[in-house]
C-alpha cells in the first residue's frame, strides 16, 4: 500500500515578535519534487521543521507519512560514531525487510494457505519493493562514491570528518534509506559539480515526495516539478508548476498582476468615495434648489430623488465591500542597490603570488590580480579555494612562496561562515558600530536592499543564516574595498538576490575575486577563471 501524501494545512508559526508563517498549506504527493523559494527569513527552514515534526506549529496541522527523512544541519549521531555506524543505521530497515521476508517464506512453506501469513508477506513485500531493499547494500556504495565519500575508510569517526563531509554523509544516509518523503534544507551546500549532478539524478529517481529549500538555481531547474514561493503574494504563498526557469517568468507576471489589481482597486475606491460624497450632497434635504430644478420639481422631483438615493446606497455598499476586501499594496521587494562592490584604484597589479604552497591545502605557481580584475576561482571540494582567498585577504601565511601586495591596498572578505562578536546587538546597531556613525548615515543599511525594514532592529543572533550573510555583505559594500573577495557568495542567499548579485559582479571599478561552486553563476560568468586542482600530496 503506497504511503500517503505529506499534507500541511493552515500552518502558523511565530518566532519572537514576528509571524514567520501565516496560514501556509502544502500538499506533496508521491512523485512531486517541490522547491521552497523566498527571501532569507521568509520561513523556508521553519516550514521544513514543521513538516518534519521537529518543531510544532502555533496553529494548523501536518499529516506526514510514517517513513519520513529530514536532512538535519547536524547529524543525529555521537561524534565518536563511525561511518559504518551511520551506514548500518541507514541499512537497518532494508535488512529487517529482507530478514522478515525470509522468515515469512519459511513459515509459508509449512502453511501455504495461511491467510494471516499471506497478508503479512504481501505487505512486507510491498514495503521492500518501495524501498528497493534487495539493492540497498550496493546502493550504499554507489551513493557514497557519488557524493565524494567513497575513499574514506568506514571506521573513521564522525568527529574526524570535515563539516562538509558530515553533511554529505547525512545526505548519503537518506538516499540509501529511500524514505517515502524526503525533506532537504540546502542539500547542495558542500557538493561539487559531480556530486550535485549525482544528487539530482538520485532525487529524480525517487518514487516518494521531495520538499527542498535551496538557493541553488541549477538544482531547482534540474529537479523540481513544482516551486512554492513563500514571499508575500496577494493570495498568500504561491505554487508554480515547473522548474526555476519557468518560475522566473511567471513570478514577474504575477507581481505585475498584483500591482495592476491594486492600482485599479485604488482608482475605483477614489471614484466611489467621490461619487458617494458628491451625490449625497445632491440629495441633502436642506439644499436650496437651482432655478432649472424648480420648474419641474413638483411632478418629477420625487422620482429623481429616489434614483439618486439608490445610486448613493449602491455606491456606498460597493465602497464598503471594496474597503473591506481590497488587496494590500505589493510590498517593495528587496533589490540589491549597492553603488559599487569595489572601489577604483590606480591601474596595475594589486596582488602577485609566486610559487605559493600551503601543505595539504594549496599549490599555486603564479597569480596576478589587476586593479579591475573579475576572477572566478573554481575547483572540487578541498582544492584550496577558501585557502587562496584567505591568503589574498592576508588572513593566512604561506609556508613557502612570495606574496606581493600593493602598499595601502584595502581588502574585504565575505567568508563562508558569518559570525558576529555581539549577537545581542541588532542589525542596525552592528552596522553603525562597525562602519562608524558617519559612514552608516551616508550609506543607510536599508538603502542597500539587503535586509527588509522589519529586520533592521532584530538581534543578529535571531537572524537566519542567510540574513546574517546579507548583513556581512552590506558591511563590505557600504565601504567598498579596492579588492573584494567573496567565498561562495550565493550560499544561503535567495535565488532572486543571487540573480541581482550576479548582475552587480559585472564590469565596474575595483577588483573582485570570488570562489564558487554555483553552477548557474559559473555557466554565465563573463570574466576570467582560475581552476584549482588540489595538492599533489
Amino acid at each position: 500500500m503506497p504511503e500517503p501524501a505529506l499534507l500541511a494545512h493552515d500552518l502558523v508559526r511565530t518566532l519572537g515578535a514576528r509571524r514567520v508563517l501565516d496560514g501556509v498549506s502544502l500538499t506533496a504527493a508521491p512523485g512531486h519534487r517541490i522547491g521552497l523559494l523566498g527571501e532569507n527569513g521568509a520561513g523556508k527552514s521553519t516550514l521544513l521543521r514543521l513538516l518534519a515534526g521537529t518543531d510544532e506549529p502555533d496553529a494548523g496541522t501536518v499529516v506526514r507519512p510514517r517513513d519520513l527523512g529530514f536532512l538535519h544541519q547536524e547529524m543525529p549521531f555521537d561524534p565518536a560514531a563511525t561511518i559504518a555506524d551511520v551506514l548500518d543505521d541507514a541499512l537497518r530497515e532494508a535488512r529487517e525487510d529482507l530478514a522478515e521476508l525470509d522468515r515469512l517464506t519459511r513459515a509459508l512453506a509449512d502453511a501455504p494457505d495461511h491467510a494471516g501469513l499471506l497478508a503479512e508477506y504481501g505487505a512486507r513485500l510491498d514495503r521492500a519493493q518501495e524501498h528497493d531493499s534487495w539493492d540497498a547494500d550496493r546502493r550504499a556504495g554507489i551513493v557514497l562514491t557519488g557524493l565524494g565519500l567513497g575513499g574514506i575508510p568506514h571506521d573513521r569517526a564522525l568527529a574526524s570528518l570535515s563539516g562538509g563531509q558530515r553533511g554529505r554523509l547525512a545526505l548519503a544516509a537518506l538516499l540509501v534509506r529511500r524514505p517515502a518523503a524526503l525533506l532537504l534544507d540546502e542539500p547542495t551546500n558542500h557538493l561539487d559539480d559531480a556530486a550535485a549532478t549525482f544528487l539530482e539524478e538520485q532525487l529524480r529517481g525517487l518514487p516518494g515526495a521531495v520538499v527542498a529549500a535551496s538557493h541553488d538555481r541549477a538544482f531547482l531547474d534540474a529537479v523540481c516539478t513544482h516551486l512554492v514561493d513563500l514571499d508575500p503574494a496577494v493570495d498568500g504563498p504561491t505554487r508554480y508548476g515547473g522548474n526555476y526557469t519557468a518560475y522566473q517568468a511567471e513570478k514577474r507576471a504575477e507581481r505585475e498582476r498584483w500591482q495592476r489589481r491594486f492600482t485599479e482597486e485604488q482608482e475605483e475606491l477614489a471614484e466611489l468615495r467621490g461619487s458617494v460624497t458628491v451625490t449625497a450632497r445632491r440629495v441633502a434635504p436642506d439644499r436650496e434648489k437651482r432655478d432649472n430644478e424648480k420648474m419641474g420639481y413638483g411632478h418629477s422631483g420625487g422620482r429623481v430623488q429616489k434614483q439618486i438615493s439608490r445610486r448613493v446606497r449602491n455606491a456606498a455598499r460597493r465602497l464598503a465591500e471594496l474597503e473591506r476586501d481590497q488587496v494590500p499594496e505589493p510590498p517593495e521587494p528587496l533589490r540589491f542597490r549597492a553603488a559599487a562592490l569595489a572601489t577604483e584604484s590606480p591601474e596595475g597589479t594589486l596582488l602577485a603570488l609566486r610559487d605559493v604552497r600551503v601543505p595539504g591545502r594549496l599549490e599555486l605557481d603564479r597569480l596576478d590580480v589587476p586593479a579591475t580584475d573579475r576572477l572566478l576561482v573554481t575547483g572540487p571540494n578541498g582544492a584550496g579555494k577558501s585557502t587562496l582567498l584567505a591568503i589574498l585577504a592576508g588572513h593566512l601565511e604561506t609556508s613557502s612562496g612570495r606574496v606581493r601586495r600593493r602598499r595601502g591596498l584595502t581588502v574585504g572578505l565575505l567568508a563562508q561562515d558569518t559570525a558576529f562578536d555581539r549577537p545581542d546587538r541588532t542589525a542596525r546597531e552592528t552596522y553603525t558600530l562597525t562602519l562608524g556613525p558617519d559612514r552608516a548615515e551616508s550609506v543607510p543599511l536599508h538603502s542597500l536592499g539587503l535586509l527588509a525594514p522589519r529586520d533592521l532592529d532584530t538581534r543578529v543572533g535571531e537572524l537566519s543564516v542567510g540574513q546574517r550573510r546579507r548583513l556581512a555583505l552590506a558591511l563590505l559594500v557600504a565601504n567598498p574595498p579596492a579588492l573584494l573577495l567573496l567565498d561562495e557568495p550565493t550560499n544561503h542567499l535567495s535565488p532572486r538576490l543571487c540573480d541581482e548579485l550576479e548582475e552587480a559582479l559585472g564590469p565596474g571599478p575595483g577588483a573582485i575575486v570570488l570562489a564558487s561552486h554555483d553552477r548557474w553563476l559559473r555557466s554565465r560568468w563573463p570574466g576570467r577563471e582560475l581552476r584549482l586542482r588540489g595538492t599533489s600530496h
Side-chain angles (χ1 to χ4, degrees):
M1 181 177 177
E3 292 280 2
L6 176 63
L7 303 172
H9 181 67
D10 274 347
L11 296 182
V12 175
R13 187 72 176 103
T14 301
L15 298 176
R18 188 165 75 88
R19 182 166 284 197
V20 179
L21 299 175
D22 189 4
V24 173
S25 298
L26 181 142
T27 299
H32 285 181
R33 298 183 298 276
I34 299 173
L36 300 181
L37 295 173
E39 293 295 347
N40 302 114
K44 301 183 294 295
S45 295
T46 300
L47 177 57
L48 286 176
R49 289 193 296 271
L50 297 181
L51 295 175
T54 60
D55 190 13
E56 292 298 321
D58 300 312
T61 58
V62 178
V63 177
R64 56 184 66 87
R66 172 178 47 83
D67 183 21
L68 180 142
F70 180 32
L71 181 64
H72 292 269
Q73 298 301 318
E74 291 296 328
M75 290 197 69
F77 286 93
D78 188 282
T82 65
I83 292 177
D85 294 330
V86 175
L87 290 177
D88 285 341
D89 184 73
L91 292 165
R92 176 175 47 80
E93 293 172 353
R95 289 169 176 168
E96 288 175 356
D97 286 340
L98 299 181
E100 188 63 9
L101 284 172
D102 285 343
R103 184 190 71 79
L104 290 168
T105 298
R106 291 193 299 273
L108 284 168
D110 296 329
D113 298 323
H114 191 291
L117 286 174
L118 286 170
E120 192 177 350
Y121 182 88
R124 181 65 70 162
L125 182 62
D126 287 343
R127 176 182 164 85
Q129 288 173 335
E130 287 169 12
H131 291 82
D132 200 9
S133 298
W134 291 271
D135 201 37
D137 281 279
R138 187 180 73 90
R139 183 167 65 248
I142 292 172
V143 168
L144 287 176
T145 300
L147 294 179
L149 300 169
I152 303 177
H154 288 190
D155 61 356
R156 280 272 299 273
L158 301 186
S160 71
L161 302 179
S162 69
Q165 288 172 326
R166 288 196 298 273
R168 282 180 277 152
L169 182 58
L171 184 57
L174 288 175
L175 295 177
V176 170
R177 267 186 57 206
R178 289 172 66 91
L182 192 53
L183 307 176
L184 306 172
D185 198 352
E186 300 292 359
T188 60
N189 280 0
H190 311 297
L191 299 187
D192 58 20
D193 286 5
T197 300
F198 174 82
L199 172 64
E200 291 164 1
E201 293 170 351
Q202 290 286 306
L203 294 179
R204 287 195 298 264
L206 290 179
V210 176
V211 181
S214 179
H215 68 278
D216 187 333
R217 294 160 290 175
F219 171 83
L220 296 170
D221 216 42
V223 169
C224 293
T225 60
H226 302 78
L227 293 170
V228 172
D229 192 338
L230 296 178
D231 281 339
V234 63
D235 296 315
T238 307
R239 184 163 178 152
Y240 299 87
N243 59 15
Y244 184 70
T245 298
Y247 157 82
Q248 285 180 301
E250 183 57 28
K251 175 70 173 179
R252 285 192 294 270
E254 187 269 337
R255 165 82 189 188
E256 290 169 1
R257 287 194 297 270
W258 185 0
Q259 183 65 57
R260 188 163 55 249
R261 180 175 166 187
F262 171 78
T263 301
E264 290 171 353
E265 283 193 358
Q266 293 305 306
E267 290 173 353
E268 185 180 358
L269 280 167
E271 290 177 5
L272 287 169
R273 288 174 183 135
S275 176
V276 167
T277 302
V278 171
T279 313
R281 282 203 303 270
R282 289 187 60 196
V283 297
D286 58 349
R287 181 178 65 83
E288 184 179 349
K289 306 293 183 295
R290 294 191 295 268
D291 289 342
N292 63 342
E293 292 177 315
K294 291 177 181 177
M295 293 179 62
Y297 189 77
H299 64 270
S300 63
R303 187 174 68 253
V304 171
Q305 284 286 88
K306 288 179 181 178
Q307 290 173 347
I308 295 174
S309 297
R310 186 163 54 250
R311 286 202 299 271
V312 171
R313 288 195 301 273
N314 290 341
R317 187 180 304 113
R318 171 60 180 159
L319 177 61
E321 291 173 355
L322 199 54
E323 286 181 332
R324 184 182 65 245
D325 301 327
Q326 64 179 302
V327 299
E329 183 176 6
E332 187 63 31
L334 287 175
R335 288 285 182 263
F336 186 41
R337 292 189 292 267
L341 298 185
T343 192
E344 189 173 2
S345 58
E347 288 297 319
T349 301
L350 302 181
L351 271 168
L353 280 61
R354 298 291 186 271
D355 301 317
V356 165
R357 301 289 184 269
V358 179
R361 295 169 64 182
L362 179 67
E363 294 179 359
L364 185 63
D365 295 333
R366 180 188 180 101
L367 176 64
D368 294 314
V369 180
T372 57
D373 203 8
R374 293 294 185 272
L375 175 63
L376 173 64
V377 182
T378 64
N381 290 327
K385 300 187 295 294
S386 296
T387 300
L388 174 58
L389 263 60
I391 292 171
L392 295 176
H395 296 173
L396 179 66
E397 295 293 327
T398 63
S399 300
S400 62
R402 301 188 310 279
V403 179
R404 286 196 299 108
R405 188 182 307 269
R406 177 181 285 182
R407 185 183 300 276
L409 177 66
T410 55
V411 183
L413 170 64
L414 179 70
Q416 284 196 53
D417 299 320
T418 304
F420 293 92
D421 294 334
R422 292 289 302 274
D424 57 314
R425 287 178 176 154
T426 68
R428 195 194 307 270
E429 290 169 344
T430 301
Y431 185 80
T432 301
L433 290 169
T434 303
L435 292 176
D438 291 342
R439 189 68 185 177
E441 184 177 352
S442 64
V443 186
L445 177 55
H446 67 81
S447 72
L448 296 170
L450 286 165
L451 285 177
R454 67 166 185 267
D455 298 319
L456 299 182
D457 295 310
T458 301
R459 287 194 291 267
V460 168
E462 295 174 1
L463 295 175
S464 71
V465 175
Q467 288 169 320
R468 290 196 294 274
R469 287 213 96 195
R470 285 174 178 261
L471 177 58
L473 181 59
L475 288 167
L476 288 173
V477 301
N479 191 14
L483 172 60
L484 178 64
L485 308 171
L486 303 172
D487 196 354
E488 301 293 359
T490 58
N491 274 8
H492 303 294
L493 299 184
S494 68
R496 186 163 61 193
L497 178 58
C498 293
D499 291 339
E500 293 169 358
L501 180 59
E502 246 178 66
E503 284 186 35
L505 291 170
I512 300 174
V513 179
L514 70 153
S516 181
H517 69 277
D518 186 326
R519 293 164 293 161
W520 190 278
L521 181 152
R522 284 168 26 225
S523 68
R524 292 158 175 76
W525 181 250
R528 68 188 185 114
E529 180 177 343
L530 169 66
R531 181 166 180 80
L532 300 178
R533 305 190 182 280
T535 60
S536 57
H537 54 82

